[in-house]
Amino acid sequence: MTKFFNSVVTTLLISTTAIFAQVENPIEKPNANPPVSMETMVGSRGVMFQSLVNKKFQSIPKLGFFSVTNATAAWEKEMTPDIMIQAHLTYRLFKGLDITSGMQYTPLYGFRPVAGLIYSYATPEILIILNPKVDLADDLATESLALIEYKPKINDKLNFYSRLQAMHGFVPESGTHNRSYIMLRAGLGYKEFAFGAASNFDWYGPIKHNENNFGVFVSALLF
């Protein structure tokens, strides 16, 4: 419980620092916020949904919000409910690197305070997000998320779309695995939409129980 309150205090300190920084630099230009990414996959295991938010507050440009939500509704009943929700306040240290503090929810562990770093790099063709974080509960755990998109132009209307997304989590004290996945996407992009083939590989718990999903996906960017 003490660690939980420490994480809350840390979040408040980050927010307060960001507000005072904005007061000291009132002429800083507003951010060009990246869009919200939403994706649905239909496959052999079931229907999977993911949303990704990485936004900055226009009036406090160093302060932002980062969230990743994953959920799978399986065609058949499974031993492990598959939903993960992350929500973090972020504070920019310098371009491309933020510190984070917030919470994470899974059915197995419930709500837990977390802190970490986010590195992001974006061009019209490439997107990279790296997010190592640590669980601040008594049974401390760590997770690392990596997302890489490559979307070169084919012609004036279409682009090739590909994505590799992976996450690995474990308990450092015991070395026990708790959750990991690999997501692969390949298809076409048209304006703010993308569609194509999809594969998900998921592992759960210390025994690394495996569930795979093969199908198709459709994604959209909300500006």
Side-chain angles (χ1 to χ4, degrees), residues 40 85 96 100 117-118 131-132 144 148 151 167 195 206 211:
T40 298
I85 302 171
T100 74
L117 296 170
I118 296 177
N131 175 216
S144 295
I148 302 173
K151 40 192 178 181
M167 191 272 290
F195 53 91
E211 296 283 354

Side-chain angles (χ1 to χ4, degrees), residues 105-157:
Y105 170 80
T106 60
L108 182 60
Y109 295 106
F111 288 95
R112 297 162 76 90
V114 294
L117 296 170
I118 296 177
Y119 170 77
S120 58
Y121 172 81
T123 71
E125 291 191 351
I126 298 174
L127 172 65
I128 299 174
I129 295 178
L130 304 176
N131 175 216
K133 60 182 181 294
V134 60
D135 185 325
L136 299 176
D138 291 335
D139 50 341
L140 182 145
T142 65
E143 287 183 0
S144 295
L145 168 72
L147 184 152
I148 302 173
E149 286 186 352
Y150 180 55
K151 40 192 178 181
K153 275 195 169 188
I154 297 174
N155 54 42
D156 291 340
K157 293 185 177 181

Side-chain angles (χ1 to χ4, degrees), residues 35-40 49-52 149 161 163 188 190-195 217-223:
V36 176
S37 173
M38 302 182 70
E39 178 186 275
T40 298
F49 171 81
Q50 173 172 280
S51 69
L52 190 152
E149 286 186 352
Y161 177 86
R163 185 173 90 241
L188 295 175
Y190 174 72
K191 296 184 177 180
E192 69 269 35
F193 303 101
F195 53 91
F217 79 95
V218 176
S219 65
L221 301 177
L222 305 180
F223 290 87

Side-chain angles (χ1 to χ4, degrees), residues 175-191:
T176 303
H177 172 273
N178 56 16
R179 177 76 168 92
S180 59
Y181 65 71
I182 297 173
M183 299 182 187
L184 302 175
R185 303 290 185 267
L188 295 175
Y190 174 72
K191 296 184 177 180

Side-chain angles (χ1 to χ4, degrees), residues 21-33:
Q22 174 63 16
V23 171
E24 294 173 1
N25 187 19
I27 61 174
E28 187 168 355
K29 294 181 180 179
N31 290 288
N33 265 322

Side-chain angles (χ1 to χ4, degrees), residues 11 13-33 54-66 88-101 118 120:
T11 301
L13 287 173
I14 291 172
S15 303
T16 304
T17 302
I19 292 170
F20 278 112
Q22 174 63 16
V23 171
E24 294 173 1
N25 187 19
I27 61 174
E28 187 168 355
K29 294 181 180 179
N31 290 288
N33 265 322
N54 188 13
K55 295 281 191 179
K56 294 295 184 184
F57 296 101
Q58 292 294 324
S59 60
I60 313 173
K62 287 184 177 291
L63 187 66
F65 177 75
F66 178 79
H88 308 264
L89 280 177
T90 66
Y91 181 75
R92 188 178 66 206
L93 298 176
F94 50 84
K95 185 177 180 180
L97 185 65
D98 293 41
I99 56 174
T100 74
S101 182
I118 296 177
S120 58

